[in-house]
Every structure is written in C-alpha cells, then in structure tokens.
Amino acid sequence: MVMFKRALLLALLPGSVLAAPVFTLQSSDFNDSAMLNKTFAGNNKSNPSCTGDNVSPALSWSNAPAGTRSFALMLTDPVGGKGLGVTHMVAYNITADRTQFAQGELSKGEGYTGGKNSPGTTSYYGPCPPVGSGIHHYNFVMVATDLPVNQLPGGLTHDELIAKLKGHTLGAATIVGRFTNDK
C-alpha cells in the first residue's frame, strides 16, 4: 500500500519537480554535429593543414549542476594524430558565475587558466586535419566541478586535468563540431 501511495504522489507532481534542468553547452556559431566554418580552423604557417584564422567559436552553457564552483573546458579530436587523438584546448578555473565565451575569446587565453594542448600552447588551437583524412569531430566538453577557482595550477595537460578532476565533477555538457580540409 505504501508503494502505491508513493507512485500516486509522484504521478500527481508536475514534471518540472521530478526532473532537474539539463546542463547544456551550445554555440551561436554552429549547431551540434554541424560543420565548423574555416574561420575556426587553426592558423599555423608551419603546418599546411592549418587553413583557418584560429578564431574560437562562441560557446554558452546553462543549467549548471547545484554546487558548481568552477568549470573546465576541453576540446579534443579523438581521431586526430593518426588515431591517437589531439587535444586542441585545456581550460579550467573558469568562474561559476560565467555562462559564455564570446567568439574569439578563448583564442586570447583570457577568462580561464590555460593548460597545455597537443601543439604545446595554452589557449585555443583550431582544427588542422590533414588533407585526405576525412571529416574530424571536435568535441567541446564543459565540466562543472566543486573545486574553487584557482585551485588548479596552470599548464596541466588534458590527462593531468582529468586526474585532478576525479572526485570533483558534478556533471558535463558537450557539443560537437566537424571539420575537414578535404575538397
């Protein structure tokens, strides 16, 4: 009888009471799983695969989990580096009251602590897939943490950041952009 009463009570509650809003990450510059504009590709004169302007896309997020004290953002290409993966950005110590980065802001290295990406820089490094390698998927992952801002030192690699975040994550949101240099 107790189970029946609980089920009846839950059935009478509005849906908004039962489900917390979903933590989401989005961009005004591209839709999830859409192709990225060439502007967002890397710009490195010593690498012919970097054909863009290295402008970071705008990102915004909402409905962070309760208790969020900071965010971390990672950008990876899981099949880059001939299948070993490429990290294009590692950013953390992002304040909990922040909800967006404007277009180009992540390229400037402001508003976060920069970690080392695969090319060795500490800010956004846009896609540079080799010609003939097909369409690559660029995974933007925003992680909500219970760590206070400036808890983590600068210069962490992707793997080092993941190790530091273990036991401190509250949730994550993702958006995927695709890019190719194939014609």
Side-chain angles (χ1 to χ4, degrees):
M1 184 62 148
V2 172
M3 293 298 281
F4 175 74
K5 286 181 181 178
R6 285 185 186 158
L8 181 61
L9 178 62
L10 288 174
L12 295 175
L13 290 173
S16 61
V17 171
L18 298 176
V22 176
F23 182 31
T24 59
L25 178 63
Q26 55 195 13
S27 177
S28 57
D29 291 323
F30 67 98
N31 292 322
D32 191 27
S33 297
M35 295 299 287
L36 293 169
N37 184 299
K38 194 171 189 173
T39 298
F40 306 122
N43 181 1
N44 179 344
K45 302 301 180 210
S46 66
N47 182 345
S49 297
C50 293
T51 58
D53 299 321
N54 204 54
V55 174
S56 59
L59 295 173
S60 62
W61 54 98
S62 57
N63 303 317
T68 299
R69 296 178 71 191
S70 68
F71 295 100
L73 175 64
M74 295 164 279
L75 171 57
T76 59
D77 171 6
V79 298
K82 299 180 181 176
L84 299 179
V86 172
T87 299
H88 287 268
M89 192 170 94
V90 179
Y92 45 93
N93 291 328
I94 302 166
T95 61
D97 61 349
R98 185 164 200 150
T99 60
Q100 67 178 359
F101 282 105
Q103 186 183 92
E105 195 170 5
L106 293 166
S107 301
K108 296 175 186 171
E110 299 172 356
Y112 61 90
T113 299
K116 285 187 185 172
N117 55 26
S118 294
T121 70
T122 57
S123 60
Y124 175 85
Y125 193 95
C128 297
V131 171
S133 66
I135 296 174
H136 289 234
H137 294 76
Y138 297 88
N139 302 313
F140 294 80
V141 179
M142 179 67 73
V143 178
T145 84
D146 65 3
L147 294 170
V149 172
N150 297 324
Q151 176 79 23
L152 301 174
L156 297 175
T157 65
H158 179 269
D159 291 344
E160 290 169 337
L161 177 61
I162 295 295
K164 298 269 188 194
L165 293 179
K166 286 195 177 175
H168 295 284
T169 60
L170 303 172
T174 186
I175 187 170
V176 177
R178 300 179 307 139
F179 188 78
T180 185
N181 276 315
D182 295 349
K183 302 288 179 202

